[in-house]
Structures are given as C-alpha cells and as structure tokens.
Amino acid sequence: MHLTATTQFGLEELLADELYALGADITHVGSRAVEFIGDQRLLYETVLWSRLSMRLLCPLAGFYAPDERALYREVGRIDWSEYIGPGQTFAITAVVNKSTFEHSLFVAQLMKDAIVDQFRDRTGSRPDVDTRHPDIRLHLRMLENEVIISRDAAGDSLHRRGYRQATNDAPLNEVLAAGLVLLAGWDGKRPLIDPMCGSATILTEAGLIAQRIAPGLFHQGKFGFENWADFDADLWQQVRAEAEAQRLEEPQAYLAGSDIDPKVIDQAAQNITAAGLEDCIRLSVRDVKDAAAPAAEGPGLVVTNPPYGERIGEEAEMATFYKTIGDALKTNFQGYEAYVLTGNLDAAKTIGLKATRRIPLFNGPIDCRLLKYELYRGSRRAPASGNLTPSPGSYT
C-alpha cells in the first residue's frame, strides 16, 4: 500500500532514514512528509515504532476540484461503505494551501456533507461525526485545488505518546524532542545532559531510544487502523509482542537533567516514571549556572531547549540568561558537544560561542534554530610552535 508519514519541518530526512530502517520503500521526501510503500505489517510497525511521524496517512483517492460542486461530486464518487462501517463515527481533518477555497473548515464541512448524503441516499441513515474520538479519521489535503483524501492510520497525532502526565507552561513536542536527540547524532551510549530539562521530554525521548522502547506502546485506547475493516488483530498482537521483547531493562546510557524549579522537576519525574524510565534518568534541582558534566562518564552531549523570552520587555533578561548558559557550557562541559534549540537568536548571540551548525526548525509556530557548539578543551587553534600548549578555558 502507498503511505505518507507527516513530520515537522527539518526532520524529513531523519524520518526517511527511520522508515527505511523499518523496511519501507521510500518514494518521495517532501516538505514535512515522506511517501513510501509497504505492507500491513509495516503500517503497524510504523505506528508503533516511529519517533518522528506526526501522522501516518493511507491515501484512498485523488482528484482535481476547481470549485465546490466538483469537490462534492468527487467525494461522492467514493464508496464510503468500504471505509466507514455500520455504527462507526468519523471526523475530517482538512489542510488547504494555495487554493480557490479559503477555509479548511468549509472544505471539511463540504466533504462531510457528501459522505453523509451518500449514506442517507443508499441506506436511509447516516453515520455520526465525532470530532474528539472518531472511529475513522479522514484527512483531506488540498494544494492548488489538487485533492488527496486519506485514512489516518493512527487516528490521532503520534506525538501524543501517552506517557506525559504533567507539563510546564511550554512543553516541547515529543516528535521534536526525539528529532533534537537524533539531529545531535546521539548514539544511545554517550552521556546526554539537559541542564534546563523542564518536563524532561528530551531526556524521556532519549531514554526510549537507548532502551529500545517503541513509543507507540504508551498509546491510550485504540489506534485508527484498529477500526478498519481489514484490521488483522493477530498480526497486530504479534507486532506488539515483538516490540515489547526488544526492550532493554539495564540502563544503556548516562541521562541526567536539572531545572531550577522544584515543581517542574516533580512533573518531570512523573513523566519519566510513566515512561518506565525512572531507573535510567537522573533528575536534580539546580540552576543552569551550576550544571556540570559527570566526571567519570567521558565526553557526551548537552541537548536543551531554554526559554525564548516571548513577553515584552524580557530582552535584557534573556540576554543575561543566555550569557549564563554560555558560561556554564564553557566552564563545566569541556569536551562535550552542545545543541541548543532557541527561537531567540538575538539572545543566543550572548552565549559567546561560535555555532558550527545552525539547523532551521519550528517549535510550534516559532521559527527556531538548533545551534551546535563544540566545547573544546583549551583552544581549537593549533599552537604557533611545538613548544606552546593551549591555555585551558580558551575557546574559539
């Protein structure tokens, strides 16, 4: 079957690699989406194992719709009894770009009317719409009036893992958190530190990677494909059992996080426990200026998402705060690589280190950069002669 996995901007190539490792035949890597071919087992495994997919869509029809009449007519030509069974509810998610239709809600309503009218004409009754917990979630994408209609295999966004029990004011999306860890090139073995961990989403996603835990195992309720007519319950149970058998119980890496707010650390501990990683991740209450690398663990990574300072009048406060981050990295994490996701590039200049990579990403609607810093011991520059040695604490 042809499938499309959607993701966040900047994670497309990583998603393609992830799907390829699962056995997918990749056909196209686009903006925020990867198209591929696979069988029913791969569909189940993708929903269960993908750390970078937001949605997994199974296209069922495509057509051109220049106006309302054409859209209604083409939707009505699909035999919806093949996809919505007796007594099942449905919902429609619509995304419209560069089309004569201006509003996605209007497009979704028109598609709903065509489906309902078909059932009413053929059977005398109609399926109900349930926007919160539908049995069948349909997805309409319209780009320049070219329409693709798909079934949503997950039924809900896959970033909602199910382990998150409590959050702070600005929780990091789980897919983006996993993406940060993978963009940093983490091998699942080196130490990974988040000195501003918040609700510990980065650390939790790293822990799931290290311990070979499928994120879909935490999902609450049914996935969308479990309500499809061709659902294979035996195959699904087999795929789940195989995933559960891969979990590693012994901690595979040193993972640690800290935050200045004790209440936030309590929330982080709840999330980590819900993910079954309480023996794998260390937490502490600590100001970022006091964060330090573990002496006995060897060089590792810092991956963190500090506040951006979005309220008016916070410019000076943020500049000072980011300077503190830079001072802590320089002094306490020599030999490490640091990856800092920020939506405040002006404040990031006060970190005082030269970024060797600047990866464009979005945190929700916020245009961000993932900045990589190489925290060398001493100076990166070669000494002028063989008799000179670099002075400790010197950075370029």
Side-chain angles (χ1 to χ4, degrees):
M1 63 184 74
H2 291 268
L3 299 165
T4 299
T6 66
T7 189
Q8 296 198 203
F9 175 82
L11 303 181
E12 297 92 346
E13 293 294 340
L14 283 176
L15 174 58
D17 292 342
E18 178 185 69
L19 295 171
Y20 180 78
L22 288 172
D25 178 8
I26 307 297
T27 57
H28 179 69
V29 179
S31 175
R32 302 175 189 257
V34 176
E35 298 174 18
F36 62 103
I37 296 173
D39 58 11
Q40 196 168 31
R41 167 179 276 273
L42 179 63
L43 185 150
Y44 294 174
E45 289 180 341
T46 300
V47 168
L48 196 60
W49 277 104
S50 180
R51 306 182 192 280
L52 302 173
S53 296
M54 297 291 288
R55 293 190 180 276
L56 181 61
L57 305 177
C58 184
L60 57 91
F63 51 83
Y64 180 70
D67 52 37
E68 296 177 27
R69 180 178 297 179
L71 178 61
Y72 181 91
R73 181 184 65 247
E74 294 299 328
V75 171
R77 286 177 173 173
I78 300 168
D79 184 357
W80 288 105
S81 65
E82 294 183 8
Y83 306 108
I84 303 173
Q88 288 188 322
T89 60
F90 75 101
I92 300 167
T93 300
V95 178
V96 177
N97 288 306
K98 302 177 182 178
S99 300
T100 55
F101 296 89
E102 296 182 0
H103 302 292
S104 59
L105 289 178
F106 173 76
V107 170
Q109 181 68 33
L110 193 60
M111 178 176 167
K112 184 269 293 182
D113 290 344
I115 294 172
V116 167
D117 289 348
Q118 182 187 102
F119 274 99
R120 187 182 286 119
D121 291 344
R122 292 182 179 181
T123 68
S125 62
R126 50 154 290 180
D128 291 329
V129 173
D130 182 347
T131 58
R132 296 191 64 186
H133 303 291
D135 297 316
I136 306 296
R137 184 175 293 279
L138 302 170
H139 189 277
L140 181 150
R141 180 178 183 269
M142 177 181 285
L143 177 63
E144 297 179 348
N145 292 84
E146 291 288 346
V147 177
I148 297 176
I149 296 178
S150 307
R151 291 183 293 174
D152 190 327
D156 195 3
S157 177
L158 288 168
H159 86 272
R160 297 188 178 97
R161 309 288 202 227
Y163 63 72
R164 183 172 273 172
Q165 305 296 301
T167 64
N168 53 14
D169 292 336
L172 192 65
N173 178 298
E174 292 92 330
V175 165
L176 180 55
L180 298 183
V181 173
L182 295 170
L183 283 169
W186 189 55
D187 61 1
K189 298 295 182 182
R190 287 192 291 167
L192 191 150
I193 314 295
D194 184 351
M196 294 164 283
C197 69
S199 54
T201 309
I202 291 173
L203 292 170
T204 303
E205 291 297 319
L208 298 181
I209 293 170
Q211 303 304 128
R212 297 183 191 172
I213 300 173
L217 290 173
F218 299 101
H219 182 78
Q220 306 294 315
K222 288 184 177 182
F223 285 110
F225 64 76
E226 295 183 71
N227 295 315
W228 293 2
D230 62 352
F231 173 56
D232 187 334
D234 291 338
L235 176 60
W236 173 232
Q237 289 303 317
Q238 180 182 347
V239 169
R240 281 186 60 92
E242 290 170 357
E244 290 168 351
Q246 291 195 43
R247 175 174 181 150
L248 302 174
E249 296 298 333
E250 188 70 21
Q252 300 297 300
Y254 182 94
L255 300 172
S258 55
D259 197 282
I260 197 171
D261 189 341
K263 293 182 180 179
V264 169
I265 289 297
D266 286 343
Q267 293 173 345
Q270 293 179 48
N271 297 335
I272 288 169
T273 299
L277 296 170
E278 62 272 20
D279 294 331
C280 302
I281 301 173
R282 299 166 173 82
L283 294 175
S284 60
V285 177
R286 185 176 295 154
D287 194 307
V288 64
K289 65 183 176 63
D290 299 319
E297 296 295 334
L301 297 177
V302 171
V303 182
T304 194
N305 175 45
Y308 307 156
E310 298 170 275
R311 292 189 292 271
I312 296 175
E314 289 187 329
E315 293 85 357
E317 180 184 342
M318 282 295 106
T320 301
F321 178 60
Y322 274 69
K323 182 180 183 301
T324 300
I325 294 173
D327 292 343
L329 294 176
K330 297 173 191 176
T331 305
N332 302 334
F333 291 93
Q334 293 188 16
Y336 270 55
E337 294 176 349
Y339 288 80
V340 179
L341 179 71
T342 181
N344 191 333
L345 293 180
D346 288 334
K349 295 175 183 177
T350 64
I351 287 178
L353 291 164
K354 182 178 180 181
T356 57
R357 288 183 68 191
R358 301 165 66 89
I359 304 171
L361 296 169
F362 279 87
N363 185 359
I366 303 172
D367 186 8
C368 295
R369 297 295 182 274
L370 179 61
L371 305 174
K372 177 185 178 182
Y373 302 104
E374 298 182 22
L375 309 175
Y376 297 97
R377 289 189 174 91
S379 173
R380 187 177 183 181
R381 298 188 183 94
S385 71
N387 296 327
L388 298 180
T389 57
S391 58
S394 176
Y395 293 85
T396 58

